[in-house]
Amino acid sequence: MRTALAVIDRDGVAGLTMRKFGAELGVDPMAVYYYLPDKGALFDAVVEAVLDEVGLPEPAPGATWQSVVWDACQRLRTVLRRHPHTVPLIGTRPVLTPRTLASSDLLIRQLVDTGLSAPEGLRILTCARAYTLGHLLVEVGVPAGPPPEANVAPAEVMAAYPALAAGMAQGYDPDGQFDLGLRALIDGLGGR
Amino acid sequence: MRTALAVIDRDGVAGLTMRKFGAELGVDPMAVYYYLPDKGALFDAVVEAVLDEVGLPEPAPGATWQSVVWDACQRLRTVLRRHPHTVPLIGTRPVLTPRTLASSDLLIRQLVDTGLSAPEGLRILTCARAYTLGHLLVEVGVPAGPPPEANVAPAEVMAAYPALAAGMAQGYDPDGQFDLGLRALIDGLGGR
DNA sequence: ACCTGAACACCGTTCAAGT
DNA sequence: ACCTGAACACCGTTCAAGT
């Protein structure tokens, strides 16, 4: 799976081919089918490898639910920025293996330890995870298929959209932008 | 593009094939290349068609920035729920055509009219859009490649993850879950 | 038990050719 | 100007066969 993930990091999801995967392993491409039923299973295995890299939250004695959620989302973001092509995969393929279930279970347990109910904890986690994945999707999202030719609108085009241009004048700081929204989301969830 | 979108709705993004697209139009598959340079351009055209369906915000005289953002996200969600397969496309392909730029520009102008600065408005929009797309991705996200075989963990498996099981006991209400997070995000952004 | 190789039904894209 | 059809270099997957 390290090999598969490396291929995706290099060539994108569409670039991970059963045939290329076999070749990369120095094996007949069809040998893969002895271990995996189909390409979906390969994707799921990659997703699990990435989630493994995210790892488990450390037990923090003085933690609040705010800090637990904040840390979990920052950890997820850090790892997914190393594997940008996998973001749509992570958001899209529900992997229900012991390791991923145990990770969610531990997070909820930590939230319950801070005083939340389990359903409250799950709802809050779901919100924060959605925001984190969505931000990553638009931030590092790699286009499906061939990329568009012009990625940035030239200045004379933007002149026709003054409000948008004024909004973009200060530049774009991905980390600051992400933190702003996560902070706001957690703050707002406090008044639940 | 209505045809292309209909094929995606029916067969998924991977199911939209240059050859099938041509056949659906009753034309030689290669005729498409007279109008579009490659498959990426076809995706971009589909994205634009979906964003057109989202349409423009109505001018609301008594609007607050909160109501403008809320309405824009709800409109986006409503349309994307009709076209679930396009969610990763929307999040991932930046389409910089006059129609989509005009739409962003109008939204920011509405936000500025409520007293925000243009950069503030853009930051808030970016947060809300990320949350909306992320929620849609995990909510309606259609797996890339063949779907996993078992989609729901059986009860006896969940017994090993009591906190998670307790969190899921009340069931999952997508609309309520989405509204909760959007409300919280907007509330939290108020303290900026 | 684990791997190979041929085969089938597909892809996106190019290019010369038709009307 | 607009469309066709053959061709090329790929895909995922099946299946019989090898060791």
Side-chain angles (χ1 to χ4, degrees), chain A:
Chain A
M1 289 317 133
R2 267 184 286 114
T3 303
L5 186 51
V7 173
I8 287 188
D9 287 340
R10 176 162 43 87
D11 301 334
V13 173
L16 177 60
T17 273
M18 296 302 257
R19 299 167 120 101
K20 201 194 284 180
F21 182 47
E24 210 91 13
L25 291 170
V27 102
D28 184 283
M30 302 308 121
V32 178
Y33 284 93
Y34 183 76
Y35 300 92
L36 298 172
D38 59 18
K39 205 180 177 186
L42 179 57
F43 284 157
D44 285 342
V46 168
V47 167
E48 190 166 13
V50 173
L51 294 181
D52 267 1
E53 200 173 317
V54 175
L56 297 177
E58 307 159 21
T64 59
W65 68 260
Q66 286 90 341
S67 72
V68 172
V69 172
W70 177 272
D71 290 349
C73 290
Q74 294 288 353
R75 262 200 339 275
L76 179 59
R77 182 162 184 269
T78 301
V79 172
L80 289 196
R81 277 172 60 100
R82 289 203 292 267
H83 307 292
H85 292 96
T86 67
V87 173
L89 245 40
I90 303 281
T92 240
R93 297 202 68 95
V95 177
L96 303 174
T97 57
R99 290 213 295 278
T100 62
L101 289 171
S103 161
S104 296
D105 192 66
L106 179 54
L107 264 177
I108 304 233
R109 214 152 60 232
Q110 290 201 352
L111 293 178
V112 168
D113 286 347
T114 70
L116 261 48
S117 76
E120 272 176 333
L122 181 54
R123 277 197 296 268
I124 286 176
L125 261 188
T126 302
C127 284
R129 195 180 128 94
Y131 170 73
T132 304
L133 287 177
H135 201 278
L136 281 159
L137 189 67
V138 312
E139 178 185 349
V140 302
V142 191
E149 21 199 89
N151 237 343
V152 175
E156 71 259 23
V157 170
M158 290 309 296
Y161 311 102
L164 185 54
M168 304 193 332
Q170 300 183 357
Y172 174 61
D173 165 26
D175 290 338
Q177 172 76 47
F178 175 74
D179 289 353
L180 171 76
L182 184 58
R183 180 88 281 150
L185 183 60
I186 291 177
D187 284 353
L189 285 166
R192 97 213 89 82

Side-chain angles (χ1 to χ4, degrees), chain B residues 3 23 25 38-39 44 51 62 66 75 83 97 102-103 118 122 149-150 154 175 183-184 189:
Chain B
T3 303
L25 291 171
D38 58 17
K39 205 181 178 185
D44 285 342
L51 294 182
Q66 285 90 341
R75 258 197 344 271
H83 307 291
T97 58
S103 160
L122 181 55
E149 22 198 271
D175 290 338
R183 180 88 281 150
L189 286 167

Side-chain angles (χ1 to χ4, degrees), chain B residues 8-31:
Chain B
I8 286 189
D9 287 340
R10 177 162 43 89
D11 302 333
V13 173
L16 177 60
T17 274
M18 296 303 255
R19 299 167 120 99
K20 200 195 286 181
F21 181 47
E24 209 91 15
L25 291 171
V27 105
D28 186 285
M30 301 310 122

